[in-house]
């Protein structure tokens, strides 16, 4: 009933002279309803495309993390690996931008007409990427993805609720909050439940010395996990910032290029200050694989996909859609040992955690 009232009031505003004419009224009502239905259909199509894009880039991100970790082993420096990854991504996006908008430049008035934070997306991406490279050998591929996800969900929902970074505002309802809780529950099930069950099944008596060593190791892991959560919060901020930059520039590809370019320049400064030792070695007896150089291209597609997603579905939903892809990609890497990663077969508990996350995403998406 409220929807019909809104349509009638819209007709009255758009056609004040003809509103009281019966036949004109019926014609205008039909045309208006038809237009609204077509707009609703287009929005559903956009949403479906956004979901597919989110899943695709989500699956690609843990692959990028594994690839960049292999690159780090060959160059001997996390900052060197990040710089190479960003440089490759920047070159890739530069070519795409030239094809799309035929220029790499933009109006200098943006520096005065837009807030300073629109240029920070690339730097936030540097922190996130370098953090993942550092986390990967400490936590493994699944936790390296999951810990930042905790921060991403938290920051994403806050950004949506308050409309930070000029993001589309979406009030945090109880249903959306419940969906977020289910997503977090799925994260915990996937990361911790399997290990907890194995520990109960294989529990043995340990010496005090071993207990102390274990406690120390767990404390160290806790610090790395906390750093992963902070990195995830910065990643959600990057998603919102780059989404706004895409609207300002009128091109998702151009915005992704600018973001990567800023990140590359930031990494160059870091490398000049820290002066890490660059070297190209073979960590194993086999030659370095060709695929260790393409992590930047996958990262570029990830940023590009997020720039597209934010204006369509908002930061919070973009984060949780990508999450399902992240989990699927991470579990596949652990299952099959792709990109020189250690094989760690997935379990039924982990699949159950993924299912719980999907239910949570559905709640956030529908309500």
């Amino acid at each position: 009933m409220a929807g019909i009232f809104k349509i009638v009031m819209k007709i009255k505003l758009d056609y004040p002279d003809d509103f009281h004419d019966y036949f004109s009224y019926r014609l205008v009502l039909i045309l208006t309803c038809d237009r609204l239905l077509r707009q609703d259909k287009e929005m559903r199509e956009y949403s479906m495309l956004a979901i597919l894009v989110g899943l695709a880039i989500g699956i690609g991100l843990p692959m990028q993390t594994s690839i960049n970790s292999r690159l780090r082993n060959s160059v001997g420096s996390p900052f060197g690996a990040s710089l190479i990854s960003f440089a490759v991504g920047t070159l890739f996006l530069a070519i795409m931008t030239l094809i799309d908008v035929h220029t790499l430049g933009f109006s200098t008035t943006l520096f005065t007409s837009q807030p300073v934070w629109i240029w920070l997306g690339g730097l936030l991406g540097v922190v996130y990427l370098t953090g993942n490279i550092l986390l990967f050998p400490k936590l493994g591929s699944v936790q390296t993805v999951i810990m930042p996800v905790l921060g991403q969900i938290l920051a994403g929902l806050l950004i949506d609720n308050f409309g930070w970074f000029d993001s589309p505002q979406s009030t945090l309802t109880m249903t959306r909050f419940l969906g977020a809780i289910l997503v977090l529950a799925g994260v915990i099930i996937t990361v911790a439940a399997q290990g907890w069950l194995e520990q109960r099944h294989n529990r043995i008596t340990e010496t005090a010395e071993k207990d102390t060593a274990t406690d120390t190791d767990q404390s160290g892991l806790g610090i790395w996990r906390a750093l992963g959560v902070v990195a995830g919060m910065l990643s959600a901020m990057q998603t919102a910032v780059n989404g706004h930059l895409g609207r300002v520039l009128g091109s998702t590809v151009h915005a992704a290029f600018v973001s990567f370019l800023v990140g590359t320049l930031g990494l160059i400064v870091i490398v000049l200050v820290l002066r890490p030792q660059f070297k190209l070695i073979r960590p194993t007896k086999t030659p370095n694989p060709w695929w260790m150089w393409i992590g930047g291209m996958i990262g570029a597609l990830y940023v590009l996909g997020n720039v597209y997603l934010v204006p369509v579905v908002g930061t919070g939903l973009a984060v949780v859609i990508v999450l399902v892809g992240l989990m699927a990609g991470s579990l596949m890497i652990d299952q099959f040992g792709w990109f020189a990663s250690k094989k760690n077969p997935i379990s039924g508990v982990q699949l159950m955690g993924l299912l719980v996350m999907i239910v949570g995403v559905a709640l956030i998406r529908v309500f």
Side-chain angles (χ1 to χ4, degrees):
M1 195 69 180
I4 297 175
F5 176 76
K6 289 180 180 179
I7 293 175
V8 173
M9 291 304 297
K10 180 176 179 59
I11 296 169
K12 191 171 183 179
L13 291 174
D14 292 346
Y15 306 93
D17 296 332
D18 297 331
F19 181 72
H20 294 290
D21 184 270
Y22 176 74
F23 295 103
S24 297
Y25 164 72
R26 291 190 62 186
L27 177 61
V28 172
L29 179 61
I30 292 172
L31 292 176
T32 303
C33 290
D34 179 68
R35 182 175 63 184
L36 293 176
L37 288 173
R38 282 189 283 109
Q39 290 176 348
D40 183 63
K41 181 181 178 182
E42 291 174 358
M43 286 303 299
R44 287 199 302 269
E45 291 175 352
Y46 276 127
S47 297
M48 192 61 196
L49 178 60
I51 291 173
L52 295 177
V53 170
L55 291 175
I57 64 176
I59 291 174
L61 187 59
M63 296 181 181
Q64 181 205 17
T65 301
S66 299
I67 290 170
N68 286 339
S69 295
R70 178 61 178 81
L71 179 62
R72 177 199 177 180
N73 292 337
S74 293
V75 301
S77 166
F79 295 104
S82 293
L83 178 57
I84 292 172
S85 180
F86 261 80
V88 171
T90 301
L91 179 61
F92 173 68
L93 287 171
I95 296 173
M96 293 185 64
T97 302
L98 288 173
I99 296 173
D100 182 40
V101 296
H102 311 297
T103 180
L104 299 179
F106 49 84
S107 175
T108 56
T109 59
L110 293 179
F111 290 107
T112 56
S113 62
Q114 295 295 324
V116 176
W117 50 257
I118 70 169
W119 311 108
L120 299 181
L123 297 180
L124 296 174
V126 168
V127 176
Y128 180 63
L129 175 63
T130 306
N132 276 342
I133 294 176
L134 293 172
L135 291 171
F136 187 80
K138 301 291 184 179
L139 301 178
S141 64
V142 172
Q143 291 195 53
T144 297
V145 173
I146 295 306
M147 290 302 112
V149 161
L150 298 176
Q152 286 176 329
I153 293 174
L154 175 61
L157 293 178
L158 289 175
I159 289 170
D160 270 2
N161 186 66
F162 296 104
W164 293 339
F165 307 111
D166 287 340
S167 297
Q169 192 168 1
S170 181
T171 304
L172 182 58
T173 62
M174 285 302 298
T175 306
R176 288 171 61 85
F177 180 74
L178 176 61
I181 293 297
L182 286 177
V183 172
L184 294 179
V187 169
I188 295 172
I189 291 172
T190 304
V191 173
Q194 181 64 22
W196 180 76
L197 291 174
E198 291 177 354
Q199 185 180 17
R200 283 181 58 86
H201 183 70
N202 301 313
R203 181 170 295 172
I204 58 175
T205 304
E206 298 178 345
T207 64
E209 180 181 352
K210 287 184 178 180
D211 284 339
T212 302
T214 300
D215 290 341
T216 302
D217 291 342
Q218 290 299 318
S219 176
L221 286 177
I223 294 175
W224 285 109
R225 287 166 179 162
L227 291 175
V229 172
V230 173
M233 296 182 72
L234 296 178
S235 174
M237 293 169 60
Q238 178 201 16
T239 298
V241 169
N242 287 340
H244 178 69
L245 182 61
R247 292 193 297 271
V248 170
L249 295 177
S251 169
T252 56
V253 179
H254 201 177
F257 164 72
V258 172
S259 177
F260 255 72
L261 178 62
V262 172
T264 302
L265 295 176
L267 276 168
I268 290 175
V269 173
I270 293 174
V271 167
L272 290 176
V273 172
L274 298 180
R275 297 184 180 277
Q277 183 180 1
F278 283 93
K279 55 184 178 180
L280 186 61
I281 61 174
R282 294 181 179 181
T284 61
K285 295 181 180 180
T286 59
N288 289 317
W290 62 269
W291 46 259
M292 76 178 191
W293 306 103
I294 67 171
M297 295 176 62
I298 298 176
L301 293 174
Y302 173 77
V303 172
L304 180 60
N306 273 313
V307 173
Y308 165 78
L309 283 176
V310 171
V312 178
V313 299
T315 303
L317 185 54
V319 166
V320 294
I321 290 175
V322 171
L323 168 59
V324 179
L326 287 173
M327 282 304 306
S330 298
L331 293 177
M332 285 190 291
I333 289 174
D334 271 7
Q335 173 70 26
F336 300 107
W338 291 342
F339 307 112
S341 297
K342 181 181 177 180
K343 281 189 176 183
N344 186 20
I346 62 177
S347 65
V349 173
Q350 288 177 312
L351 291 177
M352 183 178 69
L354 182 60
L355 178 60
V356 171
M357 282 186 282
I358 292 174
V359 173
V361 170
L363 286 177
I364 297 174
R365 172 69 187 91
V366 175
F367 300 98

